[in-house]
Amino acid sequence: MRRTISNVLRLIGKELHSIWADPVMLILVVYSFTVAIYMVSNDASTEVRHVAVAIVDEDHSQLSRRLADAIRPPEFQAPEEIAADAVDAALDAGRFVFVLHVPPRFEADLVSGRRPELLLEIDATAMAQAGNGATDLASIVSGEIAGFLGGGPGSAREPVDLVVRAWFNPNLETVWFGSVMQVMNSITMLTLILAGAALIREREHGTIEHLLVMPVTPAEIVLSKIFANGLVIVVAAALCLIVVVQWALAVPIAGSMPLFLAGTALYTVTIASLGILLATFSTSMGQFGLLVIPIMVVLNLLSGGMTPLESMPHWLRLTMQVVAPSPSFVAFAQGVLYRGAGLGTVWPDLLTFTAQGGVYFALSLLRFRGVLARI
């Protein structure tokens, strides 16, 4: 046992030196955990911000002006009044996402008890902003009309006072969600790439033959590659959460950082084992890249982070939870980082991807021994 530990530690040192000597890989790791996290989380937002709105005011009443004044930044740009015959050209040119039509005699019909109609035209090619913005505009218009008629909040016309309380993200900021999810995606992607590339590099450089004449076992070689690359990812993830997420993006971390990093360490073992397994089916870095791309797409898109598991078909959801470790890791990370959950709450997810890691490690070791036998 002592000899095995000594061999693994020496091989880990060799792997870390190889990573340090590869500037392209180092730049990829640094970029993925800094610039990519910040830009995707902060700039690729789906929130309604500064959306262009036009208004066709054919009523020119106090109420129509009140509606126009209620649509204001930061969610919307100040509405621009345009003529009715200019709407089609403006939407075709992409100048506005929303166009609100106020018909003639709108205020008079409303006061007299009739039910006039307002028309809201939407450029639905801006899908996220169209859906969210339509809801916001409907709420603004309804509130202003109720206030104009004397039926504002707390009046007798509203028998129920609905109080909304958003937990874990009180302002519904997408950066709170996007930053942490991007960290999890980067952990999955880079662990898979680094571990598999470490084995491919040995085969392309011919150094795997040198390892075969050394007093080391295949298990020690595989463990060293998993632990070395996992260590790099865990350290990078910890620095990213502290420097980029908490400091630069001002996103609070609700739970225990040590618990998250411990779970991340186990997860990197699982994903690194999968990376080694994929590398045993490849003879070059190009083949490995082509094999990894579709695997990464599935692991990230169907992890339950970007698309809810509940919206997937039952068979697909069950398959992902059994075969892929990413859904369990996403549930674990969200529980710890968002909700402040402890080990007593997240241990089933922790146990799930750890067990999957054991299976992937056994398969990768079996395949690696087969590769060595053919050399």
Side-chain angles (χ1 to χ4, degrees):
M1 177 61 70
R2 182 179 300 176
R3 180 178 177 179
T4 297
I5 295 175
S6 176
N7 288 342
V8 170
L9 290 177
R10 292 177 186 275
L11 289 171
I12 288 175
K14 181 188 80 69
E15 291 297 327
L16 293 176
H17 181 270
S18 298
I19 296 173
W20 181 257
D22 190 343
V24 175
M25 197 65 73
L26 283 177
I27 292 173
L28 175 63
V29 172
V30 173
Y31 169 81
S32 298
F33 281 104
T34 53
V35 178
I37 300 290
Y38 186 87
M39 292 180 63
V40 172
S41 304
N42 198 52
D43 299 331
S45 174
T46 58
E47 293 178 352
V48 179
R49 287 289 184 270
H50 309 294
V51 177
V53 182
I55 184 168
V56 178
D57 188 359
E58 297 180 303
D59 190 33
H60 300 288
S61 62
Q62 179 184 352
L63 178 56
S64 66
R65 289 190 293 270
R66 180 169 175 168
L67 291 176
D69 291 340
I71 303 172
R72 53 181 177 264
E75 290 82 8
F76 303 97
Q77 298 178 21
E80 178 181 334
E81 186 172 347
I82 62 174
D85 58 3
V87 172
D88 290 345
L91 288 175
D92 289 343
R95 290 176 53 202
F96 305 104
V97 178
F98 300 100
V99 178
L100 179 64
H101 292 252
V102 183
R105 294 187 52 79
F106 175 72
E107 180 182 312
D109 289 343
L110 194 66
V111 172
S112 63
R114 299 186 182 91
R115 296 179 63 85
E117 292 184 350
L118 286 173
L119 173 63
L120 180 64
E121 295 191 74
I122 304 172
D123 178 4
T125 57
M127 189 175 63
Q129 291 182 326
N132 297 333
T135 302
D136 292 346
L137 276 175
S139 177
I140 291 172
V141 170
S142 299
E144 290 301 316
I145 292 175
F148 178 79
L149 294 176
S155 70
R157 294 193 180 191
E158 296 183 0
V160 176
D161 185 13
L162 177 63
V163 178
V164 178
R165 178 178 297 171
W167 285 76
F168 314 121
N169 188 354
N171 296 323
L172 302 179
E173 295 281 352
T174 57
V175 66
W176 286 31
F177 171 81
S179 59
V180 175
M181 286 310 306
Q182 189 62 26
V183 172
M184 287 186 267
N185 289 340
S186 295
I187 290 172
T188 301
M189 177 186 70
L190 290 177
T191 305
L192 197 66
I193 292 175
L194 287 179
L199 180 58
I200 297 296
R201 186 167 51 241
E202 299 277 12
R203 298 183 67 177
E204 289 187 335
H205 293 173
T207 54
I208 195 167
E209 287 85 354
H210 299 167
L211 293 176
L212 293 179
V213 299
M214 296 175 62
V216 294
T217 65
E220 293 170 354
I221 297 173
V222 172
L223 284 173
S224 67
K225 296 185 182 301
I226 290 173
F227 290 158
N229 292 285
L231 176 62
V232 171
I233 297 301
V234 171
V235 172
L239 293 175
C240 176
L241 285 173
I242 294 172
V243 177
V244 179
V245 176
Q246 288 187 301
W247 179 70
L249 296 173
V251 177
I253 301 298
S256 169
M257 184 75 76
L259 175 59
F260 172 73
L261 293 179
T264 300
L266 292 174
Y267 179 68
T268 57
V269 172
T270 301
I271 294 297
S273 299
L274 177 59
I276 296 291
L277 178 62
L278 295 177
T280 60
F281 291 96
S282 310
T283 57
S284 66
M285 199 68 76
Q287 286 185 355
F288 176 69
L290 292 175
L291 185 60
V292 161
I293 289 173
I295 300 296
M296 285 195 304
V297 170
V298 171
L299 288 177
N300 287 338
L301 292 184
L302 301 182
S303 65
M306 300 181 67
T307 53
L309 289 174
E310 292 78 11
S311 66
M312 301 179 191
H314 177 71
W315 67 268
L316 180 58
R317 180 170 67 250
L318 183 61
T319 301
M320 287 299 298
Q321 290 173 330
V322 172
V323 176
S326 53
S328 299
F329 179 65
V330 166
F332 161 80
Q334 288 180 343
V336 174
L337 299 179
Y338 290 145
R339 306 183 187 97
L343 182 60
T345 301
V346 299
W347 70 265
D349 299 313
L350 198 64
L351 184 61
T352 299
F353 63 72
T354 302
Q356 291 168 330
V359 174
Y360 284 130
F361 176 76
L363 291 175
S364 64
L365 183 57
L366 183 64
R367 283 284 309 170
F368 183 61
R369 283 172 173 162
V371 170
L372 295 180
R374 293 193 294 270
I375 293 179

